[in-house]
Amino acid sequence: MPHSALQTPELNLEATSKSAPAAAGSRPMYYEYQPEETVKAQHGSTLRCKTWEAEAALRMLENNLDPAVSLVYDELIVYGGAGRAARNWKEYQTIVRALKNLEPDETMLVQSGKAVGVLRTWAHAPRVLIANSNLVPAWSTQEYFDELDKLGLMMYGQMTAGSWIYIATQGILQGTYETFAAVAARHFGGTLAGTVTVTAGLGGMSGAQPLAVTMNDGVCLVIEPIEERVRQKVREGYLDEQARDLDHALELCEQYRQQRRGWSIGLTGNAATVLPELLARGYKADIVTDQTSAHDLLDYIPEGDIATVLQLRQNDPDEFRRQALASIMKHCQAIIDMQTAGAVALDYGNNLRGQAEKGGMKVRDEHGQFLYPGFVPAYIRPLFCEGKGPFRWAALSGDPQDILRIDRALLETFPDDKLLARWIEKAQAKVPFIGLPARVCWLGYGEREKFGLVINDLVARGEVSAPIVIGRDHLDCGSVASPNRETEGMKDGSDAVADWPLLNALANCASGADWVSLHNGGGVGIGNSTHSGMVIVATGTPEKAERLKRVLTTDPGMGVLRHADAGYELAQDVARERGVQIPGME
């Protein structure tokens, strides 16, 4: 094993560590290793690594940390409360060095944000294998993880933070758009025009909700306790307007509801305070949901003065957790009460209901079903049965024209898909490029392979100026086991079976992906999910075309297999129609 690639860059040995305690305690961050220049993805066609595959991993790691993209740059937090790109700045430097030295037939191993080995493998093997936050099941608790995190032995990778394929808020936007489109189709005659959605959270993921609602022509009131995040989302274009206070917010909601105009309003406040106030006023929302970071109690902001509660998180984490849980229970109860009052309620997946249940609140009926459903079982699962999910690509050149050229190719490849055309039209008009230019698009089994080859051909012909990195969210059709979110309420009761994401990661390695990751706890917290990620780089070569065929068939195919096995007739029909081999199925 070549050790040289893993050596730490030379430093002044007399440097004093600036590692400041983070929210969870005193994890070492090694600020003396923080680069003097702010980390941003390199653009253009000049390589610093020995292959485009390693260069792509490096640029996407850098892109995750770009302050325009990341949540808390100094702590390497990308999104989702504490989802990191690397364990600390020292390990970031080691990863960068290893990627630059990586030979075309070597694979770097990353254990919870730390490069721990370089193996000689094959040119067609993954260049990077990543495992984040994984614990033996009986030890897979937030408390045990937090102790390891404080010692600098682990990090929380969320989903795409620790697997280096985050593309800012756009990454979840189309899935959120698809969800609200499904809500509109089922409950409001196909449009959200004339409706008001009330939600909470304006972080990297939750910030997609207001734009997704307005792209479906609805009004969205979103509550966020940190005022700067409200302002940031207005600056980015994901939010239309900031309200002065609740009265002003409701005036705006009614104004735009009456006009049947899509518009989003951000309100600085706490959902646990504001939602009960809306109920007390008798305010009638049409839809209520949430996407605050509730998977870790240290990431949910409890009621109270924001400066005071953030100081409490530093000084007394246990008391902060107690107050956070109390606020979560108020927040969750208010959603249930708004549903009782006539609103369509849905959970958007950061374990708010699960935390409230741990606090002793009744969140399920006599049959064990949640009192209000998660977005996947309620609206998205039919798409998963078809192998559909959040497929994404980014331009390693940094040139937005490359993405626009691929947009044109996408519409030419699927000319009869009117929903896809509508999405691209709205995305080009409303979605800003943040960091490396990127696009997300829900494509299914057969479609991903077809379009991956189109992208590779564009690279080969020079119609885009550098290779394109292709990946997806971990929230995909066949890559996650998450009983309180993606696999909630499975038809056969297999909600907690984690074999599927493990098989997904193994299958992507076997098929020739360029980097593969396997994480614990993304979206819903440690111990509550297992999920895998996949990335492959379209370099324009015939060899890469063969790997793209296999990877982009295998990966969504896992979704068809998983849902067919669970007894979903739609998935079984898709398998028969499209030639997915399932032993034992007639």
Side-chain angles (χ1 to χ4, degrees):
M1 178 185 299
H3 296 285
S4 59
L6 295 177
Q7 293 174 355
T8 303
E10 292 184 7
L11 293 171
N12 178 359
L13 297 179
E14 296 180 358
T16 301
S17 175
K18 301 176 186 176
S19 300
S26 55
R27 73 172 65 85
M29 294 304 300
Y30 296 97
Y31 289 112
E32 67 271 27
Y33 288 84
Q34 187 169 337
E36 291 185 7
E37 293 187 8
T38 302
V39 174
K40 295 183 179 181
Q42 177 169 299
H43 292 187
S45 56
T46 300
L47 292 174
R48 295 161 294 172
C49 302
K50 297 180 180 180
T51 65
W52 263 113
E53 289 78 7
E55 181 72 27
L58 176 54
R59 292 192 190 189
M60 294 307 294
L61 168 62
E62 293 170 332
N63 192 63
N64 271 16
L65 288 173
D66 184 334
V69 175
S70 60
L71 187 66
V72 185
Y73 173 79
D74 285 348
E75 293 186 32
L76 299 99
I77 294 174
V78 182
Y79 76 97
R84 285 181 164 77
R87 195 181 299 186
N88 53 53
W89 286 109
K90 179 180 178 182
E91 302 306 340
Y92 166 79
Q93 294 279 20
T94 303
I95 289 169
V96 170
R97 182 183 178 95
L99 286 170
K100 289 180 177 179
N101 290 334
L102 202 63
E103 297 293 340
D105 62 349
E106 290 181 334
T107 299
M108 178 176 69
L109 306 179
V110 178
Q111 181 263 317
S112 283
K114 176 181 181 179
V116 294
V118 173
L119 308 174
R120 189 176 183 193
T121 55
W122 302 96
H124 58 268
R127 296 284 68 80
V128 185
L129 294 174
I130 299 172
N132 283 315
S133 321
N134 296 292
L135 294 162
V136 172
W139 282 263
S140 191
T141 65
Q142 187 69 53
E143 294 73 20
Y144 186 65
F145 170 82
D146 285 344
E147 289 304 312
L148 294 171
D149 191 13
K150 288 178 188 178
L151 293 170
L153 298 175
M154 266 200 148
M155 75 166 198
Y156 183 50
Q158 252 294 351
M159 289 190 155
T160 53
S163 57
W164 313 337
I165 191 62
Y166 183 64
I167 59 167
T169 303
Q170 185 187 172
I172 199 172
L173 179 60
Q174 194 189 4
T176 314
Y177 165 81
E178 295 275 359
T179 300
F180 282 110
V183 172
R186 185 177 303 176
H187 302 287
F188 301 105
T191 178
L192 294 185
T195 69
V196 173
T197 296
V198 175
T199 186
L202 280 172
M205 292 287 91
S206 51
Q209 288 201 344
L211 183 52
V213 171
T214 60
M215 289 173 81
N216 280 286
D217 301 319
V219 176
C220 184
L221 171 60
V222 57
I223 305 153
E224 165 58 52
I226 300 176
E227 184 165 13
E228 176 52 32
R229 292 186 184 174
V230 181
R231 293 172 177 165
Q232 177 184 350
K233 289 304 172 186
V234 173
R235 290 195 302 268
E236 291 176 354
Y238 280 93
L239 186 66
D240 290 314
E241 185 171 356
Q242 180 177 4
R244 295 188 300 271
D245 52 33
L246 181 57
D247 289 336
H248 183 220
L250 295 182
E251 288 174 12
L252 292 171
C253 285
E254 288 311 301
Q255 173 186 334
Y256 292 113
R257 187 211 299 257
Q258 291 297 323
Q259 295 174 2
R260 296 180 63 82
R261 178 183 175 187
W263 197 257
S264 57
I265 300 104
L267 174 66
T268 303
N270 193 292
T273 304
V274 175
L275 265 60
E277 175 63 19
L278 292 177
L279 285 160
R281 295 185 181 201
Y283 183 77
K284 299 292 185 182
D286 299 285
I287 302 163
V288 60
T289 185
D290 157 69
Q291 207 177 4
T292 54
S293 291
H295 52 275
D296 182 345
L297 293 177
L298 283 171
D299 294 326
Y300 184 93
I301 306 296
E303 292 180 279
D305 174 72
I306 187 65
T308 302
V309 296
L310 292 178
Q311 190 62 48
L312 178 66
R313 183 165 65 179
Q314 292 287 345
N315 297 339
D316 191 348
D318 289 340
E319 175 60 19
F320 182 93
R321 289 187 183 96
R322 189 193 68 76
Q323 293 187 22
L325 184 57
S327 293
I328 283 172
M329 293 171 71
K330 282 187 66 177
H331 185 174
C332 191
Q333 185 62 56
I335 291 175
I336 293 171
D337 292 344
M338 292 179 83
Q339 178 179 247
T340 301
V344 174
L346 63 149
D347 181 88
Y348 216 85
N350 285 328
N351 214 29
L352 190 81
R353 299 168 304 172
Q355 295 285 26
E357 187 171 36
K358 287 181 181 179
M361 182 179 156
K362 178 180 169 58
V363 298
R364 300 178 192 264
D365 63 20
E366 63 274 17
H367 304 294
Q369 300 300 310
F370 281 111
L371 294 176
Y372 63 97
F375 75 102
V376 172
Y379 300 103
I380 295 298
R381 187 152 292 147
L383 298 177
F384 280 3
C385 289
E386 296 181 60
K388 286 189 176 181
F391 184 62
R392 60 180 62 165
W393 51 91
L396 295 174
S397 66
D399 186 351
Q401 292 302 316
D402 285 352
I403 294 299
L404 297 178
R405 176 65 187 92
I406 294 171
D407 283 350
R408 294 199 304 274
L410 181 68
L411 299 178
E412 292 164 0
T413 304
F414 304 105
D416 298 325
D417 192 330
K418 303 304 181 187
L419 288 176
L420 178 61
R422 181 178 181 226
W423 160 251
I424 293 298
E425 177 187 356
K426 287 181 174 288
Q428 289 182 348
K430 294 190 174 186
V431 179
F433 291 137
I434 300 173
L436 287 176
R439 185 70 76 218
V440 64
C441 178
W442 279 50
L443 294 178
Y445 184 82
E447 296 173 331
R448 297 193 201 187
E449 174 202 355
K450 184 176 183 179
F451 195 58
L453 293 175
V454 169
I455 292 175
N456 198 58
D457 190 51
L458 290 174
V459 177
R461 299 202 310 264
E463 294 192 36
V464 294
S465 54
I468 301 295
V469 63
I470 297 172
R472 57 160 172 76
D473 198 350
H474 291 212
L475 189 170
D476 199 17
C477 54
S479 60
V480 59
S482 185
N484 285 358
R485 196 163 82 169
E486 289 87 352
T487 53
E488 174 188 330
M490 293 295 289
K491 187 173 183 178
D492 63 346
S494 61
D495 303 23
V497 174
D499 294 338
W500 296 99
L502 300 176
L503 286 171
N504 179 281
L506 293 169
N508 276 312
C509 288
S511 299
D514 285 321
W515 70 90
V516 178
S517 52
L518 189 63
H519 296 192
N520 171 26
V524 288
I526 297 296
N528 293 306
S529 65
T530 300
H531 44 92
S532 60
M534 173 284 301
V535 182
I536 186 167
V537 185
T539 58
T541 66
E543 182 272 339
K544 188 51 70 75
E546 289 300 319
R547 289 167 62 185
L548 282 160
K549 287 180 187 177
R550 286 160 175 77
V551 171
L552 298 183
T553 300
T554 293
D555 189 53
M558 290 297 302
V560 179
L561 296 177
R562 198 268 181 269
H563 290 87
D565 188 76
Y568 290 93
E569 293 182 2
L570 175 57
Q572 294 170 355
D573 290 343
V574 169
R576 293 187 188 97
E577 292 169 1
R578 304 184 193 178
V580 182
Q581 296 186 54
I582 303 179
M585 189 183 80
E586 296 180 359

